[in-house]
Amino acid sequence: MPYGVRIAASWGWRLIVIVVAVGIAVWLLSQVSLLVIPLMIAALLAGLLSPVVHFLHEKARLPKGLAVGITMIGFLTLVIGGLSVVGQRLASGFSSLWAQALTGIAQIQNWLSSGPLAMSNEDLDTLIQDAINQLKNNSSDIVSGALSWGTTLSHLAAGMLLVLFSLIFLLLDGPRIGKFFINVLPRRARLAAEGAGKRGWASMVIYVRVQLFVAFIDAVGIGVGALILGVPLALPLGVLVFIGSFIPVIGAMVTGAVAVLLALVANGPVNALIMLLVVLFVQQAESHILQPLIMGKAVSLHPLAVVMAVAGGSMVAGIPGALFAVPTLAVANTVVKYISNRGWEHDPALATPARIIEPVRNPEPAPADLDGEEPARGS
């Protein structure tokens, strides 16, 4: 066989083995997604909150447990407070919005009867009755769907508890947990693994900070747009957009739909169309300009790599894949660069200096045994 064909075949079967191994690993992780996803979310939150814990523990001289407790209480207070503000403002504004919604429904009925469709009241009653009959005929599917949603909600509650517990222990014993896994490796690889782990964790912290900034820009853009257009509940809408920006695809769709629906109910279809254009502009600018450029620069990734990672992650694992694709790629990129450049040999962040162990080229003969017996010949 020609030399080029043999080289291509060698590369080909090795790539096939790698792809199969990665596929099996992804499939195995998908079987325990209820454990893996909360742990990865806790890792992202730990990357966000670890600088606060470090400041309280190292600068303020607080005990580690107290620093973690203060950080967790502050974080939960901030999240619950934001959600409560959104809920209270929405609840207080629903009374006026409900009256406007009823007026809009009446206008739709008038348009159906006097508009180009020219539907009579009997036709409307027939449509409503058909819809009720469809609900009755598909009641079993609706019940099964409700049960599946109930199961999903129970899994969501369990996942939130796992996130909280994992976050507490990652903030409290993160270095010890990492040291445990490093000690499993051979002695020669421990120094490189320690340095690569620290660099990878630094990339994770940078990613979370940049994602927080991007979500803030997204929330300010849509919130200010809603305020200028006179859409009610602009402040809670901005908070809702900020929280939803951390959930790829679904978060943007839901929060954008809420903004457009509020504009439609309160100010009519023209205002809702303008609000839709504002939402699309902000989200497209965030996903195609801010996210690739700022995120790619912060985590040393090319913008095309960021876009392809999000698209590939969503294709492989859906929403979790889109959420964790970029931080996983950033950490992997940092670790590979660190190991390929042998960074542990000149890394000041390591506790012990790196030592290059040279192989013994001229071994000396084995010493005599403790009982004075000479070693056998040829040993």
PDB file of all heavy atoms in Angstrom, residues 35-69:
ATOM      1  N   LEU A  35     -27.549  13.897  38.222  1.00  0.00           N
ATOM      2  CA  LEU A  35     -26.418  14.155  39.105  1.00  0.00           C
ATOM      3  C   LEU A  35     -25.380  15.059  38.448  1.00  0.00           C
ATOM      4  O   LEU A  35     -24.790  15.916  39.111  1.00  0.00           O
ATOM      5  CB  LEU A  35     -25.754  12.828  39.510  1.00  0.00           C
ATOM      6  CG  LEU A  35     -26.616  11.828  40.269  1.00  0.00           C
ATOM      7  CD1 LEU A  35     -25.831  10.560  40.534  1.00  0.00           C
ATOM      8  CD2 LEU A  35     -27.108  12.431  41.578  1.00  0.00           C
ATOM      9  N   VAL A  36     -25.160  14.869  37.150  1.00  0.00           N
ATOM     10  CA  VAL A  36     -24.094  15.603  36.462  1.00  0.00           C
ATOM     11  C   VAL A  36     -24.462  17.071  36.277  1.00  0.00           C
ATOM     12  O   VAL A  36     -23.650  17.971  36.544  1.00  0.00           O
ATOM     13  CB  VAL A  36     -23.789  14.933  35.107  1.00  0.00           C
ATOM     14  CG1 VAL A  36     -22.774  15.762  34.321  1.00  0.00           C
ATOM     15  CG2 VAL A  36     -23.276  13.523  35.318  1.00  0.00           C
ATOM     16  N   ILE A  37     -25.693  17.355  35.837  1.00  0.00           N
ATOM     17  CA  ILE A  37     -26.076  18.738  35.550  1.00  0.00           C
ATOM     18  C   ILE A  37     -26.062  19.611  36.809  1.00  0.00           C
ATOM     19  O   ILE A  37     -25.493  20.714  36.788  1.00  0.00           O
ATOM     20  CB  ILE A  37     -27.452  18.765  34.853  1.00  0.00           C
ATOM     21  CG1 ILE A  37     -27.338  18.135  33.464  1.00  0.00           C
ATOM     22  CG2 ILE A  37     -27.968  20.193  34.729  1.00  0.00           C
ATOM     23  CD1 ILE A  37     -28.658  18.040  32.729  1.00  0.00           C
ATOM     24  N   PRO A  38     -26.653  19.173  37.945  1.00  0.00           N
ATOM     25  CA  PRO A  38     -26.531  20.012  39.150  1.00  0.00           C
ATOM     26  C   PRO A  38     -25.091  20.224  39.591  1.00  0.00           C
ATOM     27  O   PRO A  38     -24.737  21.320  40.059  1.00  0.00           O
ATOM     28  CB  PRO A  38     -27.326  19.227  40.209  1.00  0.00           C
ATOM     29  CG  PRO A  38     -28.296  18.423  39.436  1.00  0.00           C
ATOM     30  CD  PRO A  38     -27.573  18.051  38.185  1.00  0.00           C
ATOM     31  N   LEU A  39     -24.243  19.202  39.445  1.00  0.00           N
ATOM     32  CA  LEU A  39     -22.849  19.366  39.836  1.00  0.00           C
ATOM     33  C   LEU A  39     -22.143  20.394  38.955  1.00  0.00           C
ATOM     34  O   LEU A  39     -21.349  21.211  39.448  1.00  0.00           O
ATOM     35  CB  LEU A  39     -22.139  18.015  39.762  1.00  0.00           C
ATOM     36  CG  LEU A  39     -20.686  17.989  40.234  1.00  0.00           C
ATOM     37  CD1 LEU A  39     -20.597  18.418  41.693  1.00  0.00           C
ATOM     38  CD2 LEU A  39     -20.093  16.601  40.045  1.00  0.00           C
ATOM     39  N   MET A  40     -22.435  20.397  37.658  1.00  0.00           N
ATOM     40  CA  MET A  40     -21.804  21.364  36.759  1.00  0.00           C
ATOM     41  C   MET A  40     -22.347  22.775  37.001  1.00  0.00           C
ATOM     42  O   MET A  40     -21.595  23.756  36.936  1.00  0.00           O
ATOM     43  CB  MET A  40     -22.028  20.935  35.307  1.00  0.00           C
ATOM     44  CG  MET A  40     -21.392  19.610  34.954  1.00  0.00           C
ATOM     45  SD  MET A  40     -21.572  19.144  33.226  1.00  0.00           S
ATOM     46  CE  MET A  40     -20.456  20.305  32.439  1.00  0.00           C
ATOM     47  N   ILE A  41     -23.639  22.884  37.306  1.00  0.00           N
ATOM     48  CA  ILE A  41     -24.188  24.199  37.657  1.00  0.00           C
ATOM     49  C   ILE A  41     -23.545  24.712  38.944  1.00  0.00           C
ATOM     50  O   ILE A  41     -23.198  25.894  39.065  1.00  0.00           O
ATOM     51  CB  ILE A  41     -25.714  24.119  37.801  1.00  0.00           C
ATOM     52  CG1 ILE A  41     -26.363  23.818  36.449  1.00  0.00           C
ATOM     53  CG2 ILE A  41     -26.272  25.424  38.359  1.00  0.00           C
ATOM     54  CD1 ILE A  41     -27.866  23.621  36.524  1.00  0.00           C
ATOM     55  N   ALA A  42     -23.369  23.814  39.917  1.00  0.00           N
ATOM     56  CA  ALA A  42     -22.703  24.213  41.161  1.00  0.00           C
ATOM     57  C   ALA A  42     -21.272  24.651  40.898  1.00  0.00           C
ATOM     58  O   ALA A  42     -20.765  25.587  41.546  1.00  0.00           O
ATOM     59  CB  ALA A  42     -22.736  23.049  42.157  1.00  0.00           C
ATOM     60  N   ALA A  43     -20.595  24.000  39.953  1.00  0.00           N
ATOM     61  CA  ALA A  43     -19.226  24.403  39.612  1.00  0.00           C
ATOM     62  C   ALA A  43     -19.206  25.814  39.013  1.00  0.00           C
ATOM     63  O   ALA A  43     -18.320  26.627  39.329  1.00  0.00           O
ATOM     64  CB  ALA A  43     -18.615  23.396  38.647  1.00  0.00           C
ATOM     65  N   LEU A  44     -20.180  26.119  38.143  1.00  0.00           N
ATOM     66  CA  LEU A  44     -20.249  27.469  37.581  1.00  0.00           C
ATOM     67  C   LEU A  44     -20.517  28.508  38.667  1.00  0.00           C
ATOM     68  O   LEU A  44     -19.882  29.572  38.697  1.00  0.00           O
ATOM     69  CB  LEU A  44     -21.341  27.531  36.514  1.00  0.00           C
ATOM     70  CG  LEU A  44     -21.112  26.741  35.228  1.00  0.00           C
ATOM     71  CD1 LEU A  44     -22.310  26.880  34.298  1.00  0.00           C
ATOM     72  CD2 LEU A  44     -19.852  27.201  34.525  1.00  0.00           C
ATOM     73  N   LEU A  45     -21.448  28.205  39.575  1.00  0.00           N
ATOM     74  CA  LEU A  45     -21.733  29.138  40.661  1.00  0.00           C
ATOM     75  C   LEU A  45     -20.552  29.269  41.612  1.00  0.00           C
ATOM     76  O   LEU A  45     -20.290  30.357  42.144  1.00  0.00           O
ATOM     77  CB  LEU A  45     -22.983  28.678  41.422  1.00  0.00           C
ATOM     78  CG  LEU A  45     -24.300  28.725  40.647  1.00  0.00           C
ATOM     79  CD1 LEU A  45     -25.429  28.171  41.492  1.00  0.00           C
ATOM     80  CD2 LEU A  45     -24.616  30.146  40.198  1.00  0.00           C
ATOM     81  N   ALA A  46     -19.845  28.170  41.826  1.00  0.00           N
ATOM     82  CA  ALA A  46     -18.649  28.244  42.678  1.00  0.00           C
ATOM     83  C   ALA A  46     -17.587  29.123  42.033  1.00  0.00           C
ATOM     84  O   ALA A  46     -16.869  29.860  42.727  1.00  0.00           O
ATOM     85  CB  ALA A  46     -18.104  26.841  42.928  1.00  0.00           C
ATOM     86  N   GLY A  47     -17.460  29.065  40.707  1.00  0.00           N
ATOM     87  CA  GLY A  47     -16.536  29.954  40.025  1.00  0.00           C
ATOM     88  C   GLY A  47     -16.919  31.417  40.185  1.00  0.00           C
ATOM     89  O   GLY A  47     -16.050  32.299  40.225  1.00  0.00           O
ATOM     90  N   LEU A  48     -18.218  31.697  40.298  1.00  0.00           N
ATOM     91  CA  LEU A  48     -18.681  33.067  40.499  1.00  0.00           C
ATOM     92  C   LEU A  48     -18.479  33.535  41.931  1.00  0.00           C
ATOM     93  O   LEU A  48     -18.092  34.690  42.178  1.00  0.00           O
ATOM     94  CB  LEU A  48     -20.163  33.164  40.113  1.00  0.00           C
ATOM     95  CG  LEU A  48     -20.861  34.504  40.356  1.00  0.00           C
ATOM     96  CD1 LEU A  48     -20.247  35.597  39.494  1.00  0.00           C
ATOM     97  CD2 LEU A  48     -22.353  34.383  40.084  1.00  0.00           C
ATOM     98  N   LEU A  49     -18.724  32.649  42.893  1.00  0.00           N
ATOM     99  CA  LEU A  49     -18.723  33.041  44.299  1.00  0.00           C
ATOM    100  C   LEU A  49     -17.395  32.802  45.005  1.00  0.00           C
ATOM    101  O   LEU A  49     -17.201  33.304  46.116  1.00  0.00           O
ATOM    102  CB  LEU A  49     -19.833  32.284  45.053  1.00  0.00           C
ATOM    103  CG  LEU A  49     -21.255  32.506  44.553  1.00  0.00           C
ATOM    104  CD1 LEU A  49     -22.235  31.658  45.347  1.00  0.00           C
ATOM    105  CD2 LEU A  49     -21.640  33.978  44.646  1.00  0.00           C
ATOM    106  N   SER A  50     -16.500  32.026  44.415  1.00  0.00           N
ATOM    107  CA  SER A  50     -15.232  31.733  45.085  1.00  0.00           C
ATOM    108  C   SER A  50     -14.388  32.975  45.358  1.00  0.00           C
ATOM    109  O   SER A  50     -13.719  33.039  46.412  1.00  0.00           O
ATOM    110  CB  SER A  50     -14.436  30.712  44.265  1.00  0.00           C
ATOM    111  OG  SER A  50     -14.200  31.184  42.953  1.00  0.00           O
ATOM    112  N   PRO A  51     -14.350  33.997  44.469  1.00  0.00           N
ATOM    113  CA  PRO A  51     -13.598  35.210  44.849  1.00  0.00           C
ATOM    114  C   PRO A  51     -14.151  35.894  46.094  1.00  0.00           C
ATOM    115  O   PRO A  51     -13.388  36.460  46.880  1.00  0.00           O
ATOM    116  CB  PRO A  51     -13.729  36.102  43.608  1.00  0.00           C
ATOM    117  CG  PRO A  51     -13.971  35.162  42.488  1.00  0.00           C
ATOM    118  CD  PRO A  51     -14.799  34.064  43.075  1.00  0.00           C
ATOM    119  N   VAL A  52     -15.473  35.846  46.294  1.00  0.00           N
ATOM    120  CA  VAL A  52     -16.061  36.445  47.495  1.00  0.00           C
ATOM    121  C   VAL A  52     -15.617  35.683  48.741  1.00  0.00           C
ATOM    122  O   VAL A  52     -15.241  36.271  49.759  1.00  0.00           O
ATOM    123  CB  VAL A  52     -17.603  36.466  47.382  1.00  0.00           C
ATOM    124  CG1 VAL A  52     -18.224  37.094  48.623  1.00  0.00           C
ATOM    125  CG2 VAL A  52     -18.032  37.211  46.131  1.00  0.00           C
ATOM    126  N   VAL A  53     -15.656  34.354  48.659  1.00  0.00           N
ATOM    127  CA  VAL A  53     -15.201  33.541  49.782  1.00  0.00           C
ATOM    128  C   VAL A  53     -13.726  33.781  50.064  1.00  0.00           C
ATOM    129  O   VAL A  53     -13.298  33.896  51.234  1.00  0.00           O
ATOM    130  CB  VAL A  53     -15.482  32.048  49.503  1.00  0.00           C
ATOM    131  CG1 VAL A  53     -14.922  31.175  50.625  1.00  0.00           C
ATOM    132  CG2 VAL A  53     -16.968  31.797  49.352  1.00  0.00           C
ATOM    133  N   HIS A  54     -12.937  33.883  49.012  1.00  0.00           N
ATOM    134  CA  HIS A  54     -11.500  34.129  49.185  1.00  0.00           C
ATOM    135  C   HIS A  54     -11.253  35.478  49.853  1.00  0.00           C
ATOM    136  O   HIS A  54     -10.379  35.604  50.732  1.00  0.00           O
ATOM    137  CB  HIS A  54     -10.806  34.082  47.823  1.00  0.00           C
ATOM    138  CG  HIS A  54      -9.336  34.359  47.892  1.00  0.00           C
ATOM    139  ND1 HIS A  54      -8.420  33.427  48.338  1.00  0.00           N
ATOM    140  CD2 HIS A  54      -8.621  35.486  47.575  1.00  0.00           C
ATOM    141  CE1 HIS A  54      -7.205  33.952  48.296  1.00  0.00           C
ATOM    142  NE2 HIS A  54      -7.296  35.192  47.833  1.00  0.00           N
ATOM    143  N   PHE A  55     -12.009  36.488  49.472  1.00  0.00           N
ATOM    144  CA  PHE A  55     -11.848  37.810  50.084  1.00  0.00           C
ATOM    145  C   PHE A  55     -12.213  37.787  51.564  1.00  0.00           C
ATOM    146  O   PHE A  55     -11.490  38.324  52.411  1.00  0.00           O
ATOM    147  CB  PHE A  55     -12.709  38.830  49.338  1.00  0.00           C
ATOM    148  CG  PHE A  55     -12.725  40.197  49.989  1.00  0.00           C
ATOM    149  CD1 PHE A  55     -11.676  41.069  49.788  1.00  0.00           C
ATOM    150  CD2 PHE A  55     -13.788  40.578  50.786  1.00  0.00           C
ATOM    151  CE1 PHE A  55     -11.679  42.325  50.391  1.00  0.00           C
ATOM    152  CE2 PHE A  55     -13.800  41.828  51.394  1.00  0.00           C
ATOM    153  CZ  PHE A  55     -12.741  42.706  51.199  1.00  0.00           C
ATOM    154  N   LEU A  56     -13.342  37.160  51.883  1.00  0.00           N
ATOM    155  CA  LEU A  56     -13.772  37.106  53.286  1.00  0.00           C
ATOM    156  C   LEU A  56     -12.811  36.279  54.139  1.00  0.00           C
ATOM    157  O   LEU A  56     -12.579  36.601  55.313  1.00  0.00           O
ATOM    158  CB  LEU A  56     -15.189  36.538  53.380  1.00  0.00           C
ATOM    159  CG  LEU A  56     -16.311  37.381  52.766  1.00  0.00           C
ATOM    160  CD1 LEU A  56     -17.641  36.645  52.845  1.00  0.00           C
ATOM    161  CD2 LEU A  56     -16.405  38.737  53.457  1.00  0.00           C
ATOM    162  N   HIS A  57     -12.258  35.216  53.559  1.00  0.00           N
ATOM    163  CA  HIS A  57     -11.387  34.327  54.331  1.00  0.00           C
ATOM    164  C   HIS A  57      -9.963  34.866  54.443  1.00  0.00           C
ATOM    165  O   HIS A  57      -9.365  34.832  55.534  1.00  0.00           O
ATOM    166  CB  HIS A  57     -11.364  32.943  53.686  1.00  0.00           C
ATOM    167  CG  HIS A  57     -10.501  31.954  54.408  1.00  0.00           C
ATOM    168  ND1 HIS A  57     -10.672  31.635  55.735  1.00  0.00           N
ATOM    169  CD2 HIS A  57      -9.434  31.219  53.980  1.00  0.00           C
ATOM    170  CE1 HIS A  57      -9.770  30.739  56.107  1.00  0.00           C
ATOM    171  NE2 HIS A  57      -9.003  30.490  55.054  1.00  0.00           N
ATOM    172  N   GLU A  58      -9.409  35.388  53.346  1.00  0.00           N
ATOM    173  CA  GLU A  58      -8.020  35.825  53.346  1.00  0.00           C
ATOM    174  C   GLU A  58      -7.867  37.285  53.773  1.00  0.00           C
ATOM    175  O   GLU A  58      -6.962  37.608  54.550  1.00  0.00           O
ATOM    176  CB  GLU A  58      -7.417  35.626  51.947  1.00  0.00           C
ATOM    177  CG  GLU A  58      -7.417  34.184  51.468  1.00  0.00           C
ATOM    178  CD  GLU A  58      -6.486  33.306  52.282  1.00  0.00           C
ATOM    179  OE1 GLU A  58      -5.535  33.865  52.886  1.00  0.00           O
ATOM    180  OE2 GLU A  58      -6.702  32.081  52.318  1.00  0.00           O
ATOM    181  N   LYS A  59      -8.729  38.157  53.266  1.00  0.00           N
ATOM    182  CA  LYS A  59      -8.590  39.583  53.565  1.00  0.00           C
ATOM    183  C   LYS A  59      -9.277  39.975  54.869  1.00  0.00           C
ATOM    184  O   LYS A  59      -8.701  40.693  55.684  1.00  0.00           O
ATOM    185  CB  LYS A  59      -9.155  40.417  52.404  1.00  0.00           C
ATOM    186  CG  LYS A  59      -8.540  40.098  51.046  1.00  0.00           C
ATOM    187  CD  LYS A  59      -7.056  40.392  51.025  1.00  0.00           C
ATOM    188  CE  LYS A  59      -6.472  40.108  49.623  1.00  0.00           C
ATOM    189  NZ  LYS A  59      -5.028  40.374  49.565  1.00  0.00           N
ATOM    190  N   ALA A  60     -10.526  39.511  55.051  1.00  0.00           N
ATOM    191  CA  ALA A  60     -11.269  39.853  56.260  1.00  0.00           C
ATOM    192  C   ALA A  60     -10.948  38.945  57.440  1.00  0.00           C
ATOM    193  O   ALA A  60     -11.473  39.167  58.538  1.00  0.00           O
ATOM    194  CB  ALA A  60     -12.777  39.825  55.979  1.00  0.00           C
ATOM    195  N   ARG A  61     -10.144  37.901  57.228  1.00  0.00           N
ATOM    196  CA  ARG A  61      -9.694  36.992  58.285  1.00  0.00           C
ATOM    197  C   ARG A  61     -10.847  36.275  58.978  1.00  0.00           C
ATOM    198  O   ARG A  61     -10.820  36.022  60.179  1.00  0.00           O
ATOM    199  CB  ARG A  61      -8.877  37.767  59.341  1.00  0.00           C
ATOM    200  CG  ARG A  61      -7.658  38.465  58.791  1.00  0.00           C
ATOM    201  CD  ARG A  61      -6.649  37.481  58.265  1.00  0.00           C
ATOM    202  NE  ARG A  61      -5.440  38.148  57.760  1.00  0.00           N
ATOM    203  CZ  ARG A  61      -4.421  37.517  57.215  1.00  0.00           C
ATOM    204  NH1 ARG A  61      -4.452  36.196  57.111  1.00  0.00           N
ATOM    205  NH2 ARG A  61      -3.378  38.184  56.769  1.00  0.00           N
ATOM    206  N   LEU A  62     -11.876  35.934  58.211  1.00  0.00           N
ATOM    207  CA  LEU A  62     -12.991  35.166  58.765  1.00  0.00           C
ATOM    208  C   LEU A  62     -12.709  33.677  58.592  1.00  0.00           C
ATOM    209  O   LEU A  62     -12.004  33.270  57.668  1.00  0.00           O
ATOM    210  CB  LEU A  62     -14.298  35.527  58.047  1.00  0.00           C
ATOM    211  CG  LEU A  62     -14.820  36.952  58.231  1.00  0.00           C
ATOM    212  CD1 LEU A  62     -16.107  37.139  57.429  1.00  0.00           C
ATOM    213  CD2 LEU A  62     -15.063  37.274  59.700  1.00  0.00           C
ATOM    214  N   PRO A  63     -13.243  32.834  59.487  1.00  0.00           N
ATOM    215  CA  PRO A  63     -13.106  31.386  59.277  1.00  0.00           C
ATOM    216  C   PRO A  63     -13.740  30.965  57.962  1.00  0.00           C
ATOM    217  O   PRO A  63     -14.683  31.604  57.475  1.00  0.00           O
ATOM    218  CB  PRO A  63     -13.842  30.781  60.488  1.00  0.00           C
ATOM    219  CG  PRO A  63     -13.850  31.861  61.515  1.00  0.00           C
ATOM    220  CD  PRO A  63     -13.908  33.149  60.758  1.00  0.00           C
ATOM    221  N   LYS A  64     -13.207  29.887  57.388  1.00  0.00           N
ATOM    222  CA  LYS A  64     -13.669  29.455  56.067  1.00  0.00           C
ATOM    223  C   LYS A  64     -15.159  29.127  56.078  1.00  0.00           C
ATOM    224  O   LYS A  64     -15.894  29.506  55.164  1.00  0.00           O
ATOM    225  CB  LYS A  64     -12.858  28.221  55.631  1.00  0.00           C
ATOM    226  CG  LYS A  64     -13.110  27.798  54.193  1.00  0.00           C
ATOM    227  CD  LYS A  64     -12.590  28.816  53.225  1.00  0.00           C
ATOM    228  CE  LYS A  64     -12.650  28.319  51.778  1.00  0.00           C
ATOM    229  NZ  LYS A  64     -11.728  27.208  51.515  1.00  0.00           N
ATOM    230  N   GLY A  65     -15.619  28.409  57.107  1.00  0.00           N
ATOM    231  CA  GLY A  65     -17.035  28.066  57.165  1.00  0.00           C
ATOM    232  C   GLY A  65     -17.923  29.285  57.272  1.00  0.00           C
ATOM    233  O   GLY A  65     -18.987  29.369  56.637  1.00  0.00           O
ATOM    234  N   LEU A  66     -17.505  30.277  58.082  1.00  0.00           N
ATOM    235  CA  LEU A  66     -18.300  31.500  58.216  1.00  0.00           C
ATOM    236  C   LEU A  66     -18.311  32.281  56.911  1.00  0.00           C
ATOM    237  O   LEU A  66     -19.343  32.852  56.521  1.00  0.00           O
ATOM    238  CB  LEU A  66     -17.728  32.354  59.344  1.00  0.00           C
ATOM    239  CG  LEU A  66     -18.469  33.663  59.648  1.00  0.00           C
ATOM    240  CD1 LEU A  66     -19.910  33.377  60.031  1.00  0.00           C
ATOM    241  CD2 LEU A  66     -17.753  34.432  60.750  1.00  0.00           C
ATOM    242  N   ALA A  67     -17.174  32.316  56.209  1.00  0.00           N
ATOM    243  CA  ALA A  67     -17.121  33.017  54.920  1.00  0.00           C
ATOM    244  C   ALA A  67     -18.060  32.366  53.907  1.00  0.00           C
ATOM    245  O   ALA A  67     -18.773  33.060  53.164  1.00  0.00           O
ATOM    246  CB  ALA A  67     -15.693  33.022  54.398  1.00  0.00           C
ATOM    247  N   VAL A  68     -18.061  31.030  53.878  1.00  0.00           N
ATOM    248  CA  VAL A  68     -18.968  30.330  52.963  1.00  0.00           C
ATOM    249  C   VAL A  68     -20.418  30.592  53.346  1.00  0.00           C
ATOM    250  O   VAL A  68     -21.282  30.821  52.476  1.00  0.00           O
ATOM    251  CB  VAL A  68     -18.654  28.829  52.958  1.00  0.00           C
ATOM    252  CG1 VAL A  68     -19.704  28.060  52.158  1.00  0.00           C
ATOM    253  CG2 VAL A  68     -17.280  28.570  52.368  1.00  0.00           C
ATOM    254  N   GLY A  69     -20.731  30.568  54.634  1.00  0.00           N
ATOM    255  CA  GLY A  69     -22.105  30.818  55.076  1.00  0.00           C
ATOM    256  C   GLY A  69     -22.586  32.206  54.705  1.00  0.00           C
ATOM    257  O   GLY A  69     -23.713  32.381  54.217  1.00  0.00           O
TER     258      GLY A  69
END
